[in-house]
Amino acid sequence: MNISAVLLAGGESRRMGKDKATLLFRGEPLWRIQLDLLRKLAPVEILISWRNDPAWRPADVYFVADAPPSRGPLSGISAALARAATTHLLTLAIDMPFMNEQYLYSLYSAIEPGRGVIPVMEERAEPLAAIYPVEARADFAAALSGSDFSLQKLAKELLSKDRLRVVQVKKEEEALFRNLNEPMDLKRANFVADQPSAIRS
């Protein structure tokens, strides 16, 4: 697939109280877990979006800086789309450690020339685990120059322009999109990861 991937390394992490990238999940830092997942997909290139070039960035991963003032993931995706050397860009949030290779491959199979794919769960888009066509660069740039930095709003615009198609998230797939925003989220996630019976129940 002619696709790039970007790891969105997180904003200021105010609710978590510390940098999410270095949080340990199942004994591994989130940045390593998510980069290992992206490598399994064998994209043409892997980018990482953050405010500053992180010390832990591997040499085979390219740093893309958010243009100040940062507007959260909107800035990161926009910068990565501008840098991408391929036709499509896969996005993955660093705080979404339950996402898996199989689901992301299923998104691969749904893209078309000039058209990406975005999962939707209960009518809410999941823009941080989606695939965007590079044709969306201008739309992201326009959103950054405006006053509304909502990715939900931008996703609707891209859908109306047929730059994205919807993939409905099945009930059994919803857990893949769990993210870690607060210390209690991390504590619960690590507990579930260590307790297979808890997942089944």
Side-chain angles (χ1 to χ4, degrees):
M1 299 293 291
N2 185 21
I3 196 165
S4 302
V6 61
L7 179 61
L8 301 168
E12 298 180 9
S13 302
R14 290 174 181 170
R15 283 186 286 172
M16 185 62 73
K18 60 177 68 175
D19 176 18
K20 289 183 181 180
T22 56
L23 292 175
L24 295 183
F25 178 72
R26 299 176 181 171
E28 295 285 340
L30 285 178
W31 69 262
R32 182 174 295 147
I33 292 170
Q34 299 301 71
L35 284 180
D36 285 348
L37 173 57
L38 291 178
R39 286 192 178 101
K40 291 177 182 177
L41 303 172
V44 171
E45 59 184 356
I46 298 178
L47 315 174
I48 185 163
S49 168
W50 210 31
R51 299 185 307 278
N52 302 296
D53 191 355
W56 45 260
R57 178 179 60 86
D60 63 336
V61 175
Y62 302 97
F63 171 63
V64 178
D66 287 0
S70 177
R71 304 303 183 187
L74 178 66
S75 294
I77 298 172
S78 181
L81 277 170
R83 164 68 174 74
T86 58
T87 62
H88 290 77
L89 176 73
L90 167 70
T91 61
L92 179 63
I94 202 159
D95 63 353
M96 202 178 286
F98 290 99
M99 185 54 64
N100 64 34
E101 177 183 359
Q102 291 74 26
Y103 188 83
L104 294 179
Y105 264 130
S106 74
L107 297 184
Y108 270 32
S109 66
I111 65 174
E112 300 169 324
R115 193 182 190 200
V117 59
I118 190 163
V120 172
M121 180 165 42
E122 298 180 354
E123 299 185 2
R124 182 175 175 82
E126 296 291 341
L128 305 187
I131 301 179
Y132 300 91
V134 294
E135 287 82 357
R137 287 169 176 164
D139 300 282
F140 273 84
L144 278 177
S145 66
S147 58
D148 188 340
F149 309 116
S150 167
L151 279 174
Q152 294 295 319
K153 179 177 181 291
L154 179 56
K156 290 179 181 178
E157 292 177 0
L158 292 172
L159 285 166
S160 70
K161 293 180 178 181
D162 206 30
R163 296 204 189 281
L164 290 177
R165 60 173 292 192
V166 166
V167 170
Q168 290 292 338
V169 178
K170 300 174 184 176
K171 190 68 177 178
E172 61 270 23
E173 297 168 337
E174 291 181 0
L176 299 176
F177 293 87
R178 287 178 57 194
N179 57 8
L180 310 177
N181 289 316
E182 301 176 356
M184 186 55 69
D185 295 333
L186 180 63
K187 184 176 180 179
R188 289 171 179 161
N190 276 314
F191 174 79
V192 170
D194 293 336
Q195 302 289 328
S197 60
I199 298 176
R200 291 195 296 270
S201 61

